[in-house]
Amino acid sequence: MNPQQLELKIGWLYPTLMSTYGDRGNVICLQQRAQWRGISVQIIPLDKQSPATQLHQVDIFMGGGAQDRQQEIVMRDLQGMKAEILSEKIEQGTPGVFTCGAPQLLGHYYEPALGQRIEGLGLFDLVSKHPGDNARRCIGNVVFELTASPLAQELQAMLGTVPTVIGFENHGGRTYLGKVQPLGRVVKGYGNNGEDSTEGAFYLNAIATYSHGPLLPKNPFLADWLIQKALTQKYQTKISLSPLDDAIATKARRAMFKRLALKVT
Ligand code: GLN
């Protein structure tokens, strides 16, 4: 298909309440990488005042991090029809990238440092708990190998290699996975809980991660995987993306790996 005929709608969950640590950069990265290829993009902010039916239009979801208090406000809004449509879309394979506070809300529950347990959507088989304000926050650069299937295999086919992911984490909550597969295996940093070396989760075409960065500009191959998935899903035909010049991103990644004394690509 001619890229000029393609359109991508990015649904940005609660941009005013959930966009800490630069997660907005994930939206900008998806938008730019699509537009550079001639694909038109529409960004749909999905805020408290947005009608639930808007969720139907979304081709890729982006949910960023938040403080515990904002997460509680969001979860009070993300009920009923909104929760149903979001769950239905993810179950149908709509891709998404959900960072830090967002996946905590897509799991079974999140227990904040203070106050009541916040019930989540239960889409990801995981639970998150904050061990209390006295516990150390998990802060710093995080590096992980992608292990999730078929994501890793699809990246291998797209790029001839499975690049290592680099990001930055800042969370108090610890996530414990049930049957859902992890997104990756931690090489440096804490990941889900600092105990079991798992990082994030991967369910159908949805990526959950503790990695801010923001994630996508630092790891543009993930942005391309999301765009390709979304278009293939939407137009029901295999769509391949033209390559972009990622020399600057590659240089930035190399500089970070060097700083962290890691020999990775
Ligand atoms: N409030 C959550 C925590 O501290 C999420 C933080 C975030 O999204 N960065 O675990």
Side-chain angles (χ1 to χ4, degrees):
M1 268 175 97
N2 181 342
Q4 259 72 31
Q5 297 168 287
L6 304 174
E7 199 209 23
L8 202 59
K9 291 192 171 126
I10 304 170
W12 184 2
L13 289 162
Y14 301 94
T16 52
L17 290 164
M18 301 192 71
S19 190
T20 37
Y21 312 115
D23 293 331
R24 173 174 162 262
N26 286 341
V27 174
I28 299 170
C29 181
L30 288 169
Q31 177 184 25
Q32 278 300 330
R33 293 185 75 83
Q35 286 177 343
W36 279 331
R37 289 158 164 132
I39 301 162
S40 53
V41 174
Q42 194 188 331
I43 295 168
I44 308 179
L46 301 162
D47 248 313
K48 271 174 73 175
Q49 64 278 6
S50 312
T53 47
Q54 268 200 322
L55 288 152
H56 277 305
Q57 304 171 19
V58 173
D59 302 314
I60 299 183
F61 285 102
M62 197 311 265
Q67 306 305 315
D68 290 7
R69 165 121 183 75
Q70 277 74 19
Q71 285 178 235
E72 203 189 310
I73 300 170
V74 163
M75 261 340 266
R76 261 187 266 129
D77 187 65
L78 196 55
Q79 302 284 337
M81 211 159 124
K82 283 189 182 175
E84 268 169 45
I85 303 171
L86 177 60
S87 306
E88 197 182 288
K89 295 275 294 180
I90 290 179
E91 293 290 353
Q92 286 165 355
T94 302
V97 56
F98 303 97
T99 310
C100 203
Q104 292 177 349
L105 303 181
L106 299 182
H108 298 295
Y109 59 81
Y110 172 54
E111 286 176 2
L114 292 169
Q116 301 278 312
R117 178 187 272 199
I118 305 169
E119 296 299 329
L121 297 188
L123 264 172
F124 285 85
D125 188 14
L126 57 85
V127 297
S128 306
K129 302 172 197 188
H130 196 302
D133 273 341
N134 292 334
R136 203 155 138 202
R137 278 184 81 78
C138 304
I139 304 179
N141 293 298
V142 58
V143 176
F144 59 96
E145 287 167 357
L146 285 165
T147 53
S149 171
L151 174 66
Q153 292 78 358
E154 289 176 3
L155 287 172
Q156 175 76 43
M158 267 166 81
L159 311 166
T161 176
V162 187
T164 303
V165 176
I166 180 152
F168 188 87
E169 60 187 326
N170 187 344
H171 53 109
R174 273 61 166 175
T175 291
Y176 300 91
L177 306 181
K179 288 200 185 74
V180 67
Q181 55 171 333
L183 179 63
R185 194 186 64 79
V186 174
V187 175
K188 197 164 186 86
Y190 299 89
N192 284 338
N193 48 51
E195 295 161 35
D196 62 14
S197 293
T198 64
E199 158 51 25
F202 184 72
Y203 177 60
L204 299 170
N205 290 319
I207 292 174
T209 181
Y210 268 117
S211 192
H212 302 279
L215 177 78
L216 300 182
K218 271 188 166 166
N219 306 279
F221 49 90
L222 285 176
D224 286 356
W225 180 86
L226 287 161
I227 294 170
Q228 189 162 330
K229 268 283 158 207
L231 293 174
T232 303
Q233 185 89 359
K234 180 172 184 172
Y235 295 100
Q236 293 294 308
T237 171
K238 172 112 176 68
I239 288 167
S240 302
L241 300 176
S242 49
L244 295 175
D245 178 4
D246 280 330
I248 294 175
T250 305
K251 234 171 135 178
R253 285 169 54 78
R254 284 211 191 107
M256 275 313 294
F257 289 136
K258 198 168 157 202
R259 199 154 117 192
L260 299 173
L262 292 172
K263 278 199 171 46
V264 279
T265 48

